[in-house]
Amino acid sequence: MNAANQQSIPVKVSTARTIEFAIFRHNPYDDTSEPHFEHYELEEADSMTLFIALNEIRAKQVPSLQFDFVCRAGICGSCAMLINGRPGLACRTLVSQLPAKVTLMPLPGFELIGDLSVNTGKWMHGMSERLQTWIHSSEDTNIDAIEAKMAPEKAEQIYELERCIECGCCIAGCGTAQMRSEFVGAVGLNQLARFKIDPRDNRTDAQFYEVVGNEDGVFGCMTMLGCEDFCPKELPLAQQIAYMRRAMAVAGIS
Amino acid sequence: MQTIVTDALIIGGGLAGLRAAIGVKRRGFTPLILSLVPPKRSHSAAAQGGMQASLGNSAKGWGDNEDVHFADTIRGSDWGADQVVARMFVHTAPKAVRELAAWGVPWNRVQKGDHKSVINGEEVTITERDEAHGLITARNFGGTAKWRTNYVADGTGHSMLYTMSNQAIAEGIDVHERMEAIALLHEDGRCQGAIVRNLITGELIVYLAKVTCIATGGFGRIYRVSTNAVINQGIGTAIALETGIAKLGNMEAVQFHPTGIFPAGILVTEGCRGDGGLLLDAKEHRFMPDYEPEKRELASRDVVSRWMETHIRNGHGVTSRFGEHLWLDIRLLGKAHINSKLREVKEICQYFLGIDPTESLIPVRPAQHYSMGGIRTDYRGESPTLKGLFAAGEAACWDMHGFNRLGGNSVAETVVAGMIVGEFMADSLMTEASLAISSMAIESQVAAVRAELASFQRSDNNENAWQIIDAMQSVMTEKVGIFRHGGQLSEAVSELQSLYERASRIKVSDTSRGVNPELCAAYRAKKMLKLSLCVANGALAREESRGAHSREDFPLRDDKHWLKRTLTSWATDASSPAIDYEPLDVKTMELPPGWRGYGGKERIDHPDTPARQAEVDNVQATTEDRFAKQHQLMPFTECLPAPFRGRNGRLSEELES
Amino acid sequence: MLFKTPLSSPRGPAVIDMLQSVSGIILALFMWAHMFMVSSILLGNDAMYWVTKMFEGEPIFGKGYPILVSLFALFILSLIVLHAFLAMRKFPATHRQYRTLHKHLGGIRHTDSYLWYVQVITGFALFFLASVHLYQLIMHPADIGPFASSDRVWSGRMWPLYLVLLFVVELHGGIGLYRVLVKWGWFMGKDPKVGRKRLTIAKWTLTLFFLVLGLLTLAAYMKVGYEHQDRAGERYQPAAYSHLNSASQGGNH
């Protein structure tokens, strides 16, 4: 062994624990199914994520187990679930950082598809339609010509807010959204803030007020801040909601 | 049984599918998108580094144009690409970027004045022009002569996908989420839609359509170590193959990305190296200049991946309990750059490796990344053998990548293909496409699907779907990987063949209603094995090394015998694929085969090459205008849909005129 | 369709939201100012007497008009009623919402969500406790002063209520001010996440300060009230101070 070998892969070494998983089970399409927890044991392995653990449990113990993973790299937002009660992305949660008993539940606030799988897509699609999360511009673009200019800082500022992956953690972490299913949540307000600061979007504040100047919109927010604290992308959600709140307050009284 | 009728059925809700649907819709037809997952979760989102398009706004991209982009792409492809298609692509790419800019993508912009940057391990100052301030900027990527990769930090695909998906919502395009097409409907050589499984209820639904487009991405998940999302199982490609009529092109052309993090195989972008990151070995020695003195870390992906594996074989890898790997060093780029332009990379390192890349080296090793092969189509995106079946993006092989794709050309291709194929689908809807499938054909094809699904619940079955998939992935990674050898490939073929036979005896024990993940794994296993067999058989048959296909027993590129495209088909009820070939004509190439500018210089030339080269040289010498020159060598404009034929405005060219 | 979209956009929601914040800010600032006033007892009975007379308008009118205190207390009470009425629309309205909220809070173990719930509970308590206190002031505006107040605290056996009220009001107001700043994005600085951390520290520091001040103040009233219990009901006279003081001292000897 030479000296260089000592600098080996920086993954935490852990003595192999046996992890007990308590997993929420329910298949709403099966009339005989009742919501309940099932317990599975799995020997921990190095750098095991919940993605690896759940796939192993399914392949070897319970083939009917439902869950959603797509990118398994923390960028697509498919795998949000309640991990020991708190919303997070399962794919990038290392088992080594969890206690020996792990409770997994589907993300609350969304339609249950089965077990840990929920229909965040349908919710987010509805939000997009309702808030019209796209550039509203009447200009016809000539795609042959040199593009319109934009200040470099402005582009970066927009991307900062566009990093949202619609995982639903902010909805699951929000007391308001949990109580009131019509609340647009931080995901909606942040996206609208993203379009509001975009010079390509021609909507006026009065038009934004039409969609979020109400109790299901920005004025429904009670600033419990779960959205900001559970956002896996660490987006400045409280700041964006405050920004929308100020703008909508002015729009509302003028 | 529910039946849904539409004009254009688009299978796949990533960038290519969404853009094709928008095109169809804007021409007045009704598209309908099927997507395995919510469209914004498609694998397009994983493209981090950027999208190539020759805007030529930035200082290091100055003087760039379609010609340069074209040459880079063809060299990258190791002359396996269809040059007309590559031309159509490079011509349309700037339009795609500009369209997306108008729709809302916050492309990073040129900041006028001096900037510090890292090139070849050294800090340099780049001065951006005042007049370019605020235009879309670009970063460096492998195998390119200019800095051409337009980007949004390292979330380019994410931004593009969100913008495109929102645009599709704005245009009122129907997306049926969590739907999986598991068979194509066809009669008399014409595709008429698909039989689709609802991944929530488990029900089968018939979707009838005048034209169908497969845009389901690649099939990386037939490999064990892949950067691909878990949904990239190639089911869309497989159902085209299963018609027995459509053919797959160049399935053996599989790209391995140099920097998958080790051992998880999660991608860190080529932008890391483009922005100045280095590859180091166990002794923290920068080894790429030893192998590639000219392009160093920024040779094409196939070349860099091969040198990395060679370097590990030569005993310079870092040993770890998971095996050997190398290091990627981006520390020299500085915290500010990493925290803003390489944020996702930083997050990935933090969460999956527990390290901070501003301070630590990143363990990397090449991982399967991209499928150059796919459903063979013409330049319009339509299958030459199964009419009414289109394909776009990674799922397709209209063949702009040949045997190796350049970084940044894939997200670019998705959007460009969506634009072009969408128009041609609309053309087809205006002229020949109709709904003319008999109910008998529908019934018999649905019955066949039902029978296949039911077959997994036979009581005497005894195989486990996940074990079969696991075994298949091992064979592919170990024997059909970066370096290939006839002996290993033969073994792979026979092992895959036996797995395929075992797959018919997969037992699905769960019979409850709903999606039934075990059943999904069962039918997907069979389809994936078919694709694996196509890849392995194609690789075994191709006795040369070209691009990403590297045979140790045939190390040279052999234009004389192998300047041709592999076509694979699978006759109904056959147990293995059939292969035939389609020649590439040197005499019509704008850029005749030669040395790529990196990688091995030796090759076996095609007999027509010298003559064609002379013709090309003559045109180059006698014609002044680059457009006239290009037109003389290989006219392509007529192949493009009318809306995309216009020339691209550029700061440099407008200033010159 | 998952959501309903309103047809028209009245200005109501904006006004209501701002009123809730503004009434809350006024009440919280008043609460702190009030604490400084009553804590004047710590500086001696004369100081407190002087503050009382200020509020009765003596410096302006030449003599004190306790009715002014009544009116001001009425104003504060109506602000509280308004504030509570506006805040109530955010409370769980149905049993189902209540259950959902409890399940949510129980699971996520999240400080700011807990703090919100603390505000709900303290707000509920305040509505009653503060009303009792204010009703008394409205009806007996003259009963404020070093002896009158102390008698109320001790002989009137109000100190348990004030003790609870102190904690409830400081928690509610402190959390409320913090929340209103975050809600509108004020004083957050360049990096809002750092800003929030700073605000949290400031909030707890202030709460702690006012709790200590409040406890000391209450103790002072209790002490004065205890010592004055034999003559409960007697009004404080600054001129008689030294006499009474020496008398009481004499009595103790």
Side-chain angles (χ1 to χ4, degrees):
Chain A
M1 298 287 274
N2 58 31
N5 284 345
Q6 287 166 9
Q7 193 179 5
S8 70
I9 185 163
V11 171
K12 284 190 189 66
V13 185
S14 50
T15 47
R17 297 180 298 170
T18 299
I19 309 291
E20 188 189 321
F21 287 92
I23 299 178
F24 175 90
R25 299 296 313 272
H26 179 48
N27 177 0
Y29 296 91
D30 179 353
D31 296 336
T32 61
S33 171
E34 288 288 332
H36 64 287
F37 279 97
E38 278 180 14
H39 298 260
Y40 309 101
E41 283 189 348
L42 189 68
E43 191 166 316
E44 186 179 5
D46 281 307
S47 58
M48 178 186 261
T49 57
L50 284 179
F51 163 71
I52 296 170
L54 282 169
N55 273 291
E56 203 167 315
I57 289 172
R58 176 157 81 186
K60 295 184 179 153
Q61 301 185 41
V62 49
S64 60
L65 185 61
Q66 292 184 52
F67 48 76
D68 292 320
F69 288 100
V70 178
C71 76
R72 62 82 176 85
I75 52 175
C76 79
S78 300
C79 64
M81 57 181 73
L82 291 186
I83 304 159
N84 285 337
R86 311 176 85 175
L89 298 181
C91 74
R92 67 178 202 187
T93 301
L94 289 167
V95 174
S96 62
Q97 290 167 352
L98 297 172
K101 286 193 177 182
V102 178
T103 305
L104 300 178
M105 289 179 71
L107 212 58
F110 300 94
E111 187 182 297
L112 181 72
I113 291 174
D115 304 337
L116 300 174
S117 169
V118 291
N119 206 336
T120 47
K122 184 176 167 186
W123 196 99
M124 295 297 167
H125 190 96
M127 181 272 294
S128 281
E129 280 184 341
R130 173 185 174 195
L131 301 187
Q132 307 190 354
T133 56
W134 54 84
I135 295 282
H136 288 54
S137 168
S138 50
E139 284 164 45
D140 259 344
T141 312
N142 174 8
I143 56 173
D144 293 344
I146 294 175
E147 66 276 8
K149 291 187 174 183
M150 179 185 269
E153 313 78 49
K154 177 58 83 178
E156 286 177 19
Q157 195 192 351
I158 294 170
Y159 175 62
E160 200 55 34
L161 307 189
E162 195 163 85
R163 292 178 69 243
C164 167
I165 53 173
E166 296 190 354
C167 60
C169 285
C170 61
I171 299 300
C174 171
T176 310
Q178 290 304 305
M179 279 196 293
R180 296 178 230 283
S181 58
E182 309 227 321
F183 181 52
V184 295
V187 55
L189 295 170
N190 174 67
Q191 291 202 11
L192 223 52
R194 176 246 174 274
F195 287 100
K196 189 169 143 46
I197 63 167
D198 195 323
R200 295 167 292 197
D201 196 312
N202 297 335
R203 273 177 286 184
T204 60
D205 280 0
Q207 285 170 299
F208 285 121
Y209 192 85
E210 289 266 337
V211 282
V212 287
N214 52 56
E215 294 284 320
D216 293 333
V218 73
F219 299 125
C221 164
M222 306 194 290
T223 325
M224 292 162 94
L225 301 172
C227 57
E228 171 144 317
D229 293 342
F230 291 113
C231 175
K233 291 283 143 183
E234 296 180 11
L235 296 174
L237 295 172
Q239 184 195 34
Q240 294 317 310
I241 296 174
Y243 167 69
M244 288 307 284
R245 184 171 234 129
R246 293 195 302 268
M248 291 304 100
V250 173
I253 55 170
S254 55
Chain B
M1 179 177 215
Q2 195 185 358
T3 302
I4 292 168
V5 182
T6 184
D7 287 336
L9 180 68
I10 291 154
I11 303 170
L15 279 170
L18 288 166
R19 183 58 185 85
I22 291 170
V24 168
K25 175 93 180 184
R26 288 191 166 186
R27 290 277 297 274
F29 298 99
T30 308
L32 192 154
I33 296 176
L34 300 178
S35 186
L36 280 178
V37 295
K40 284 174 183 162
R41 313 219 187 285
S42 304
H43 190 53
S44 304
Q48 298 168 356
M51 153 167 186
Q52 285 207 41
S54 56
L55 301 183
N57 292 325
S58 63
K60 284 285 184 181
W62 198 252
D64 196 11
N65 60 35
E66 297 86 353
D67 298 350
V68 189
H69 190 184
F70 171 77
D72 285 344
T73 301
I74 298 304
R75 292 198 172 96
S77 81
D78 221 355
W79 277 271
D82 182 317
Q83 298 201 359
V84 169
V85 171
R87 259 293 168 191
M88 291 164 66
F89 161 73
V90 298
H91 180 82
T92 313
K95 303 180 202 303
V97 173
R98 286 166 175 165
E99 182 176 78
L100 284 166
W103 287 352
V105 172
W107 297 109
N108 279 60
R109 302 288 170 145
V110 176
Q111 171 84 50
K112 66 184 174 194
D114 288 353
H115 300 272
K116 294 265 180 280
S117 184
V118 177
I119 298 176
N120 193 18
E122 279 160 34
E123 195 172 89
V124 294
T125 301
I126 296 168
T127 310
E128 297 290 355
R129 286 173 171 72
D130 283 359
E131 69 265 33
H133 184 79
L135 295 177
I136 295 167
T137 191
R139 61 162 43 126
N140 199 6
F141 253 44
T144 62
K146 299 279 180 187
W147 290 23
R148 187 186 299 125
T149 307
N150 311 121
Y151 63 97
V152 184
D154 60 348
T156 314
H158 168 86
S159 260
M160 291 170 69
L161 183 61
Y162 268 57
T163 299
M164 192 71 88
S165 179
N166 283 332
Q167 191 63 35
I169 295 171
E171 311 224 358
I173 290 167
D174 267 347
V175 181
H176 292 191
E177 295 176 4
R178 292 178 182 266
M179 293 286 178
E180 180 174 24
I182 56 172
L184 289 176
L185 281 164
H186 60 97
E187 190 177 35
D188 302 331
R190 180 151 201 108
C191 182
Q192 302 269 252
I195 300 166
V196 174
R197 192 160 177 269
N198 182 325
L199 294 182
I200 295 178
T201 64
E203 290 162 343
L204 292 185
I205 306 169
V206 166
Y207 282 81
L208 294 176
K210 295 173 188 166
V211 291
T212 304
C213 178
I214 293 182
T216 50
F219 47 84
R221 283 282 153 180
I222 63 172
Y223 284 84
R224 158 160 299 144
V225 185
S226 170
T227 64
N228 282 194
V230 299
I231 54 171
N232 291 17
Q233 295 175 308
I235 304 306
T237 314
I239 60 174
L241 179 72
E242 286 180 327
T243 59
I245 305 167
K247 295 183 177 185
L248 308 184
N250 285 347
M251 289 295 280
E252 66 271 32
V254 176
Q255 180 174 80
F256 293 80
H257 195 290
T259 57
I261 64 168
F262 185 81
I266 293 168
L267 174 73
V268 292
T269 174
E270 183 157 327
C272 290
R273 282 170 293 134
D275 292 358
L278 307 173
L279 291 169
L280 307 180
D281 63 17
K283 295 190 175 121
E284 299 195 17
H285 164 67
R286 184 185 173 198
F287 59 92
M288 275 309 293
D290 306 343
Y291 299 109
E292 288 292 329
E294 279 144 68
K295 296 296 280 184
R296 300 172 294 266
E297 280 83 359
L298 289 168
S300 63
R301 288 174 177 173
D302 57 334
V303 171
V304 177
S305 291
R306 269 198 296 277
W307 287 132
M308 288 171 75
E309 289 298 322
T310 304
H311 204 60
I312 289 174
R313 282 183 178 187
N314 292 343
H316 302 298
V318 185
T319 319
S320 84
R321 90 180 118 271
F322 299 108
E324 289 179 287
H325 64 84
L326 295 161
W327 298 118
L328 172 65
D329 183 4
I330 60 171
R331 297 171 301 182
L332 66 165
L333 307 187
K335 276 192 178 169
H337 184 88
I338 293 170
N339 289 337
S340 60
K341 301 292 187 330
L342 298 169
R343 285 252 298 261
E344 302 298 333
V345 169
K346 192 181 172 192
E347 274 190 19
I348 285 168
C349 289
Q350 278 173 339
Y351 283 98
F352 295 95
L353 298 169
I355 61 161
D356 177 357
T358 64
E359 286 165 4
S360 307
L361 300 172
I362 308 169
V364 291
R365 188 162 184 173
Q368 189 285 342
H369 183 60
Y370 189 81
S371 322
M372 274 77 72
I375 300 162
R376 177 69 188 135
T377 73
D378 57 19
Y379 69 92
R380 297 159 50 253
E382 188 173 21
S383 164
T385 42
L386 184 58
K387 290 289 149 197
L389 176 69
F390 290 76
E394 191 176 348
C397 178
W398 62 343
D399 216 358
M400 62 159 278
H401 303 303
F403 274 74
N404 176 65
R405 166 176 79 74
L406 290 186
N409 260 357
S410 65
V411 264
E413 181 197 19
T414 58
V415 183
V416 167
M419 292 165 81
I420 293 174
V421 175
E423 291 296 325
F424 283 125
M425 285 168 73
D427 287 350
S428 179
L429 283 167
M430 287 188 78
T431 52
E432 46 167 3
S434 63
L435 206 52
I437 187 168
S438 65
S439 59
M440 229 167 64
I442 299 173
E443 277 163 29
S444 72
Q445 289 172 46
V446 170
V449 167
R450 284 199 196 283
E452 152 129 309
L453 294 183
S455 76
F456 295 116
Q457 293 182 330
R458 281 193 308 252
S459 56
D460 56 342
N461 286 6
N462 54 6
E463 297 284 355
N464 177 298
W466 285 292
Q467 276 171 13
I468 298 237
I469 291 173
D470 208 48
M472 168 195 75
Q473 289 172 331
S474 292
V475 172
M476 292 304 290
T477 290
E478 282 151 31
K479 297 181 175 170
V480 200
I482 295 180
F483 286 109
R484 299 167 176 181
H485 192 281
Q488 280 193 326
L489 289 170
S490 301
E491 282 171 33
V493 167
S494 69
E495 286 168 32
L496 290 168
Q497 202 67 54
S498 98
L499 283 171
Y500 178 68
E501 274 136 37
R502 281 170 59 193
S504 301
R505 299 193 300 275
I506 289 174
K507 172 77 183 161
V508 174
S509 48
D510 182 23
T511 54
S512 58
R513 286 187 62 208
V515 57
N516 196 339
E518 197 181 12
L519 181 61
C520 294
Y523 62 73
R524 289 174 192 165
K526 263 182 108 168
K527 292 181 183 347
M528 287 163 81
L529 273 160
K530 283 182 177 166
L531 297 181
S532 298
L533 278 162
C534 291
V535 175
N537 275 297
L540 177 61
R542 183 172 285 271
E543 297 185 329
E544 65 154 353
S545 291
R546 182 181 297 274
H549 172 71
S550 176
R551 286 282 297 260
E552 289 176 300
D553 42 353
F554 299 95
L556 296 187
R557 189 178 93 203
D558 182 355
D559 291 343
K560 191 174 172 189
H561 300 100
W562 288 101
L563 201 56
K564 52 190 181 185
R565 190 171 292 121
T566 309
L567 296 179
T568 319
S569 54
W570 197 295
T572 322
D573 298 330
S575 59
S576 59
I579 289 181
D580 61 316
Y581 294 95
E582 170 185 13
L584 274 70
D585 187 0
V586 173
K587 283 179 277 188
T588 61
M589 285 183 185
E590 181 180 339
L591 188 66
W595 182 52
R596 302 168 82 187
Y598 41 80
K601 288 188 181 174
E602 278 182 73
R603 63 181 175 271
I604 300 163
D605 276 323
H606 192 276
D608 292 342
T609 302
R612 179 58 179 167
Q613 189 63 55
E615 278 173 34
V616 171
D617 291 344
N618 181 44
V619 172
Q620 296 283 5
T622 53
T623 314
E624 193 62 36
D625 178 59
R626 73 177 183 95
F627 297 102
K629 208 185 289 189
Q630 196 286 323
H631 186 74
Q632 248 178 296
L633 289 172
M634 190 186 71
F636 75 97
T637 322
E638 293 299 307
C639 296
L640 279 168
F644 308 134
R645 288 180 190 168
R647 287 186 186 175
N648 297 305
R650 232 172 239 110
L651 222 43
S652 59
E653 286 187 308
E654 288 200 346
L655 288 173
E656 281 163 14
S657 66
Chain C
M1 183 94 170
L2 205 55
F3 303 101
K4 61 177 183 229
T5 308
L7 286 172
S8 64
S9 297
R11 56 179 55 182
V15 173
I16 287 172
D17 198 63
M18 281 190 285
L19 271 182
Q20 190 189 341
S21 290
V22 169
S23 58
I25 292 169
I26 295 173
L27 285 169
L29 293 179
F30 165 73
M31 166 196 84
W32 281 343
H34 172 274
M35 182 54 78
F36 279 125
M37 307 294 174
V38 295
S39 68
S40 58
I41 194 80
L42 293 172
L43 301 176
N45 290 350
D46 276 344
M48 200 268 172
Y49 183 79
W50 182 79
V51 169
T52 310
K53 289 297 148 194
M54 283 271 298
F55 269 83
E56 290 173 359
E58 196 171 277
I60 304 167
F61 306 112
K63 67 174 269 231
Y65 288 94
I67 182 75
L68 291 177
V69 173
S70 281
L71 288 175
F72 190 71
L74 199 63
F75 168 67
I76 293 296
L77 183 63
S78 46
L79 260 190
I80 289 178
V81 171
L82 173 75
H83 185 73
F85 181 74
L86 294 178
M88 254 165 35
R89 77 198 203 283
K90 299 286 178 79
F91 290 3
T94 62
H95 180 62
R96 196 173 150 190
Q97 287 186 349
Y98 185 79
R99 257 196 5 231
T100 308
L101 184 73
H102 262 246
K103 212 172 120 194
H104 170 74
L105 292 173
I108 62 164
R109 309 190 309 283
H110 177 243
T111 314
D112 275 277
S113 297
Y114 287 163
L115 287 183
W116 176 83
Y117 202 57
V118 167
Q119 263 205 304
V120 171
I121 294 165
T122 53
F124 197 71
L126 263 182
F127 191 75
F128 296 101
L129 297 176
S131 298
V132 170
H133 176 56
L134 284 161
Y135 181 80
Q136 180 150 30
L137 294 190
I138 292 165
M139 289 304 156
H140 306 282
D143 286 359
I144 301 176
F147 285 165
S149 298
S150 300
D151 289 343
R152 176 150 39 86
V153 168
W154 185 255
S155 302
R157 293 183 191 159
M158 288 295 274
W159 65 265
L161 183 128
Y162 287 146
L163 186 65
V164 176
L165 185 59
L166 170 70
F167 279 90
V168 163
V169 80
E170 287 304 335
L171 280 174
H172 188 90
I175 299 170
L177 266 186
Y178 157 77
R179 191 187 307 289
V180 89
L181 294 183
V182 179
K183 177 178 274 189
W184 293 92
W186 293 322
F187 302 105
M188 299 301 283
K190 262 197 174 158
D191 182 341
K193 302 210 179 213
V194 175
R196 196 177 133 204
K197 265 188 206 131
R198 263 203 321 262
L199 274 185
T200 310
I201 295 167
K203 172 185 88 80
W204 284 117
T205 311
L206 279 171
T207 302
L208 201 68
F209 169 76
F210 280 106
L211 278 178
V212 170
L213 185 67
L215 285 172
L216 288 176
T217 302
L218 187 58
Y221 281 109
M222 285 167 75
K223 179 169 175 285
V224 174
Y226 173 77
E227 289 166 357
H228 192 249
Q229 59 183 326
D230 298 340
R231 295 188 297 282
E234 180 194 53
R235 287 295 180 269
Y236 181 73
Q237 294 297 328
Y241 177 76
S242 56
H243 159 72
L244 275 170
N245 201 29
S246 61
S248 75
Q249 273 171 0
N252 286 341
H253 284 276

